[in-house]
Amino acid sequence: MRDHRTWTGRVFIGVSLDGFIARNDGDIDWLTDPPTGRDHARIISSAAAQSWDTFFDSVDHVVMGRGTYEKLLTFGEWPYRSRTVIVLSSELTTEDPRIAVVRGAEEAAELLSTGGARQVYVDGGRVVQDFLRRGLIDELTVCWAPVLIGGGLSLFGDADRDIPLTLLASHTTDVGMVHTTYRVEHGLIED
C-alpha cells in the first residue's frame, strides 16, 4: 500500500513511560494535567524532535478512531477546524459535518488519496497499530511522560513483526516530557 500513496502518515502521541496512551477508562489526566514543581533535567540534543505546534501546523488531514473522536468531544472547542478529519468506526453514526466516517484503514487510505492529503496525522491507539501493520505510518513522534500508570490502553500492542525505526531527533520539555521522532524504515521490514 505504501508504494502508491501520495501522502505521509505521521503520529504525534503522548504515552506514559510504561507504554500507555490512556487509562482503561480513557482518562488522560496524567498527560493533560502533569504535576508541577518538579525540577526536571533539560537534555540537549543535536536535533529537536517535533513539538505539537510545528507538527500540527504541517498536517492537512487527521485520521482517528471512534474513542479518540468521542474523547475530543468532551474538550469543548473542536481543535481541527482547518483540517479534514476521518474517523474509523464500524459503529459510529453521526451527522457531524466536521468528520467523515469510514469503516477501516483501507477505506481511509483511499479517501486520503482521492482527497488530496499530503501530511496525515494518525491518532488513537488501535488506529496507530493498524496503520503501522499496514505500512501507512512513515514517522512517529512519541512524547514520553515521566509517569508510570500501571495499566491502560497500550500504544503499540502486540506486533506481528519487528518494525525498524531510525532516530531523527529528541528533546525534553520543562515538564519532563521526552519527545522523540523516528522514521519508519519500510524497506527494512520483513514480512
Side-chain angles (χ1 to χ4, degrees):
M1 205 180 274
R2 172 69 183 120
D3 295 336
H4 305 291
R5 282 192 289 132
T6 58
W7 49 271
T8 301
R10 300 169 67 202
V11 172
F12 188 101
I13 196 160
V15 63
S16 64
L17 191 57
D18 47 355
F20 300 105
I21 58 171
R23 297 184 195 282
N24 284 322
D25 64 1
D27 185 24
I28 58 171
D29 63 337
W30 54 271
L31 183 62
T32 57
D33 300 315
T36 58
R38 293 186 278 173
D39 190 22
H40 295 285
R42 291 296 303 228
I43 308 300
I44 306 296
S45 175
S46 61
Q50 292 283 326
S51 68
W52 176 250
D53 293 335
T54 59
F55 174 83
F56 191 68
D57 285 348
S58 69
V59 298
D60 51 45
H61 285 66
V62 180
V63 176
M64 67 182 68
R66 179 184 51 84
T68 303
Y69 167 70
E70 290 174 346
K71 185 69 173 176
L72 277 172
L73 294 177
T74 68
F75 291 156
E77 186 177 332
W78 182 250
Y80 303 124
R81 280 175 269 148
S82 61
R83 310 294 188 289
T84 300
V85 178
I86 299 170
V87 177
L88 275 70
S89 176
S90 59
E91 300 172 3
L92 181 66
T93 56
T94 181
E95 299 298 318
D96 189 339
R98 302 171 297 189
I99 66 168
V101 178
V102 299
R103 300 300 173 220
E106 286 185 24
E107 191 177 342
E110 179 65 27
L111 189 56
L112 291 165
S113 293
T114 60
R118 303 299 298 157
Q119 298 292 319
V120 179
Y121 170 29
V122 181
D123 194 19
R126 282 184 268 167
V127 175
V128 169
Q129 292 168 20
D130 190 26
F131 270 52
L132 268 172
R133 274 191 299 277
R134 295 171 181 272
L136 299 173
I137 301 293
D138 304 293
E139 180 186 276
L140 293 162
T141 297
V142 180
C143 306
W144 300 96
V147 62
L148 302 169
I149 64 173
L153 306 175
S154 175
L155 173 55
F156 295 116
D158 294 332
D160 56 359
R161 65 186 181 281
D162 290 353
I163 299 175
L165 308 172
T166 297
L167 177 65
L168 299 177
S170 186
H171 73 271
T172 60
T173 67
D174 291 339
V175 295
M177 298 281 288
V178 178
H179 291 221
T180 308
T181 300
Y182 300 95
R183 179 178 53 241
V184 178
E185 297 295 352
H186 295 287
L188 299 176
I189 296 174
E190 295 180 17
D191 290 320

